[in-house]
Amino acid sequence: MVATPLEEISTQLESTNLRDRMVALASLRHISPEDAVPLIKKVLNDESLQLRSMAIFALGVKPTAECYEILVKILENDPDYGIRADAAGALGYLGDPRAFEVLARTFYEDTDWLVRFSAAVSLGNIKDPRAHDVLIQALNSSETVLQEAAISALGEIQDIDSVDSILRFAQSDDWLVRQRLAEALGNLPTNKSISALKYLEKDQHPNVAQASRISLGRLEKQTLKA
C-alpha cells in the first residue's frame, strides 16, 4: 500500500535527522490548516529550537480552532524567551481579537525585551484599538526597538489620538524610528500628520524621505475620496 503525501510527511517529521524534519515541516506550506496542524504539533517540543520556532510560526499562518490556545500556552509558559517571542508573533498573524489581553499582559509582565517587542508588533497586527494605552507606554521605553514597534502598531490600529505622542520622534537620532513614524502617519489623517510628513520628506536619509512621500500620497488620496 502506497503511503499518502501526508503520511510521508508525518514519517519524515519523526526522522532523527534535523534537516529531514525541517524539510518536512516546510512542505506543509501548501497543505490545508486542518491537515497541517496535527503534523505541526508533532514537533512543537522538538529538541531543536530552530524547528520549534518554525513550527510556532506555522501555527500562526495555518489557523484552526486549536491554534490560539496552543500559542497562548507557549507564550505564557515556555522558559525560552525566543520561543515566547515567536508565540507572541504568531498570535499577531492569527489576528484573533482574543489575543489582545494576552499580548497586553505579556508586554507589561515579560522581562525580556524581544518578547515585549513581539507583543507590541502583534498588537498592531490584530488591529485592536484597545491597545492604545499599552503602546503609549511602549513609546516611553528605553529600548529603541520597542519605540519603533509602538509607533508602527499605533499606525496599524489607526490611533488618531496618538499623533501628538508620536510626533516627538520626528527629531529622533535613529533614522529607522523616523521611517516608522513616516509610515505610521500615512494611516493617521490629521493636519499635524501632513505637516510632519512634509518636514520628514526633506529628511537626509533617503528611506525616511521616501516613506514620507508614500504616506503623503496615501493621505492625499484619502482627502480626494472624502
Side-chain angles (χ1 to χ4, degrees), residues 112-129:
D112 192 274
W113 71 266
L114 183 61
V115 184
R116 300 177 77 219
F117 169 80
S118 285
V121 171
S122 286
L123 284 168
N125 288 339
I126 63 174
K127 294 180 169 55
D128 192 318

Side-chain angles (χ1 to χ4, degrees), residues 12 20 37 52 55 91 104 120 123 127-128 136 161 173 186 189 192 203-204 209 216 219:
Q12 198 174 359
D20 288 344
V37 168
R52 291 187 68 203
L91 282 169
L123 284 168
K127 294 180 169 55
D128 192 318
I136 292 298
D161 292 339
D173 293 333
K192 287 183 177 180
D203 197 276
Q204 292 183 337
L216 276 170
L219 293 181

Side-chain angles (χ1 to χ4, degrees), residues 68-175:
Y68 173 78
E69 296 294 345
I70 294 171
L71 290 171
V72 169
K73 186 176 180 181
I74 294 170
L75 175 58
E76 293 182 336
N77 298 296
D78 202 278
D80 186 275
Y81 71 88
I83 294 297
R84 295 199 306 279
D86 290 332
L91 282 169
Y93 285 118
L94 279 185
D96 190 319
R98 291 178 296 170
F100 164 72
E101 290 180 1
V102 178
L103 292 168
R105 186 167 64 247
T106 295
F107 180 83
Y108 286 128
E109 296 178 0
D110 204 285
T111 56
D112 192 274
W113 71 266
L114 183 61
V115 184
R116 300 177 77 219
F117 169 80
S118 285
V121 171
S122 286
L123 284 168
N125 288 339
I126 63 174
K127 294 180 169 55
D128 192 318
R130 292 177 294 169
H132 171 88
D133 290 348
V134 185
L135 297 173
I136 292 298
Q137 178 163 330
L139 288 178
N140 298 322
S141 168
S142 58
E143 297 281 356
T144 303
V145 289
L146 285 178
Q147 295 171 352
E148 288 177 33
I151 292 167
S152 294
L154 287 164
E156 289 285 344
I157 67 174
Q158 299 182 352
D159 190 335
I160 295 293
D161 292 339
S162 72
V163 171
D164 284 343
S165 298
I166 64 175
L167 282 182
R168 72 177 190 266
F169 292 96
Q171 306 291 340
S172 172
D173 293 333
D174 190 321
W175 68 267

